[in-house]
Amino acid sequence: MKAAVLHAANDIRIEEYPDPFAGPGEVVIRTKAAGICSRSIRMLLGKDLPTSLPLIPGQELAGEISTVGPGVRGFFPEEPVVVYSTGLLGCTLNGAYAEQVRIPKEIVEAGGLVKLGEEISFEDAVMAEPLAATFAAARSNRIKEGQTILIVGGGSVGLMHLKTAKWSGCKVIVADKNDARLALAGQMGAAHLINSAKTSLHDEVMQLTGGKGADVVIISSLIPELVADCLRLTAQGGICNLFSSAPESEAGLDQAVLTERQITLTGTCAATLGDFKKCLQLIKEEAIIVSDMISHRFTLDDVLDAVEKSKNQELIRGVITYSEMFSLSF
C-alpha cells in the first residue's frame, strides 16, 4: 500500500509500505478520509516527534472495513466506520496517512470503532474528533447559554470552539491577527471580531462587555505570553481556558489578578468517547455544520504541500481524501 511515512525530523516520504494484517480482536480499514490536525503537522515539521520511528502519522480517520480479525463481533467488511483513536493512531501506532490502517484491539474493545450508519460524508465524519475536544473544553469551562465567550485564536481549533459555543447559546467574540480567519469566523456566527494586530484587544473586549470581561476566555493559540493578558480579559469569577499545547515556557501569570478576581484556570486538550459520539450525531443531524471548516483537500501524494500551507497559515482545516467520500447505509 501507499503511505506517508515519517522517518525523522523534516523527513516524510511517500512510499510503498507493507499492508497491515488484522490480528485477534483487530480490524483493518481502507482509508477514505484523514484529517490533518495540528499534532500531525507539528510532527511532520519535526516537533513532538514520537520516540519510535519510522511511523505513519494521522489520528483522524474514516473509511470502510477491509478485514476483520478473529474474535471481532458486530463488524463486517465494507461497513463504513469512523475511528476515535484515543491518542494511539499516528503517535505510538501507524496512523491515518495510509491507504489501509490497522485498528488495534484496544480501540475496538473500547468502542472507538463507530459505525456511521446514516448517510454522511467521510470528510464530515473525521471532523467529529476535533469538535469533540472543544465539547470537552466547554464542559470543563462550565459554558452555559447566555454567556459571553472570548476565543483568542481563529484557526481551525478556534473555529471549532466557536461552533460549540454557538450551539450552546453563547455570544462569541473571536480575536486573531489574520483578517481572513476573522472573516470566516464572522460567517460562522461570531458576534464580534477583533484584529488584535490593529487595535487593543483589552480595550475592545472591555468595551464590548461593559468593562466586565468575558465569562469564559479560551486561548486557542500557541503563544504562552497570551495567558497573562487573557486573565485580565476574564470576568470576575470567570474561567480562563488553556486549550492549545504551547511550547514549554514561562507563561508569566499574574497571581494577584488570578486570586483577586477569583478566576478559575483550566487546561483541556482531549475528549471522551461520549463526546465523540455526541458530536458525530450533531454533525449527522446538521445541528453543527463542519463542512465549511475544510479549506483544502489533498491526496496522499500532496502531504508535503499540506505541511507548507499550514506553515504559511493558508490552511484552516485540511483533509486527505482517498477516492469517493460518501458513506451509504441501506
Side-chain angles (χ1 to χ4, degrees), residues 97-239:
Y97 299 169
E99 292 176 326
Q100 296 186 71
V101 181
R102 179 181 65 88
I103 309 304
K105 183 178 180 180
E106 297 94 319
I107 291 179
V108 177
E109 289 187 340
L113 188 62
V114 181
K115 296 183 182 184
L116 293 181
E118 302 173 6
E119 183 178 351
I120 180 174
S121 72
F122 289 115
E123 281 189 358
D124 280 1
V126 296
M127 303 293 275
E129 185 168 337
L131 183 64
T134 66
F135 262 66
R139 182 174 59 252
S140 178
N141 297 334
R142 302 191 291 276
I143 285 179
K144 56 188 177 182
E145 185 176 0
Q147 287 184 318
T148 297
I149 312 296
L150 169 63
I151 299 169
V152 180
S156 65
V157 176
L159 294 175
M160 289 281 190
H161 282 294
L162 165 61
K163 287 179 178 289
T164 295
K166 287 289 295 179
W167 181 82
S168 302
C170 301
K171 182 175 77 172
V172 184
I173 305 167
V174 176
D176 200 280
K177 295 181 178 181
N178 185 308
D179 282 329
R181 288 180 173 182
L182 289 171
L184 191 54
Q187 293 169 19
M188 293 180 181
H192 301 284
L193 307 170
I194 302 173
N195 187 322
S196 55
K198 299 177 180 179
T199 188
S200 167
L201 178 58
H202 180 274
D203 291 350
E204 289 290 324
V205 170
M206 289 303 161
Q207 181 179 2
L208 291 170
T209 60
K212 297 188 302 180
D215 299 303
V216 177
V217 177
I218 299 171
I219 305 173
S220 182
S221 176
L222 298 174
I223 305 175
E225 295 79 11
L226 280 174
V227 178
D229 293 336
C230 287
L231 285 177
R232 295 180 175 86
L233 302 175
T234 309
Q236 179 84 16
I239 295 175

Side-chain angles (χ1 to χ4, degrees), residues 17 24 50 60 94 103 106 124 159 169 184-185 243 262 311 324:
Y17 201 85
E60 299 165 6
N94 283 334
I103 309 304
E106 297 94 319
D124 280 1
L159 294 175
L184 191 54
F243 189 85
Q262 300 183 63
K311 284 169 58 177
E324 76 278 3

Side-chain angles (χ1 to χ4, degrees), residues 7 21 27 61 68 73 95-96 114 119 124 182 190 196 202 205 215 219 251-253 270 273 282 297 320:
H7 288 267
F21 174 81
V27 170
L61 164 68
V68 176
R73 300 287 182 265
V114 181
E119 183 178 351
D124 280 1
L182 289 171
S196 55
H202 180 274
V205 170
D215 299 303
I219 305 173
L253 295 180
L273 179 59
L282 290 172
R297 293 167 177 83
I320 299 173

Side-chain angles (χ1 to χ4, degrees), residues 287-325:
I288 295 181
I289 303 298
V290 293
S291 57
D292 57 354
M293 292 278 301
I294 301 172
S295 60
H296 294 77
R297 293 167 177 83
F298 304 91
T299 66
L300 191 57
D301 292 322
D302 298 329
V303 166
L304 293 178
D305 185 33
V307 174
E308 285 303 309
K309 281 185 166 52
S310 179
K311 284 169 58 177
N312 297 330
Q313 293 192 342
E314 299 173 38
L315 194 68
I316 296 298
R317 195 77 184 182
V319 174
I320 299 173
T321 62
Y322 303 72
S323 68
E324 76 278 3
M325 298 220 290

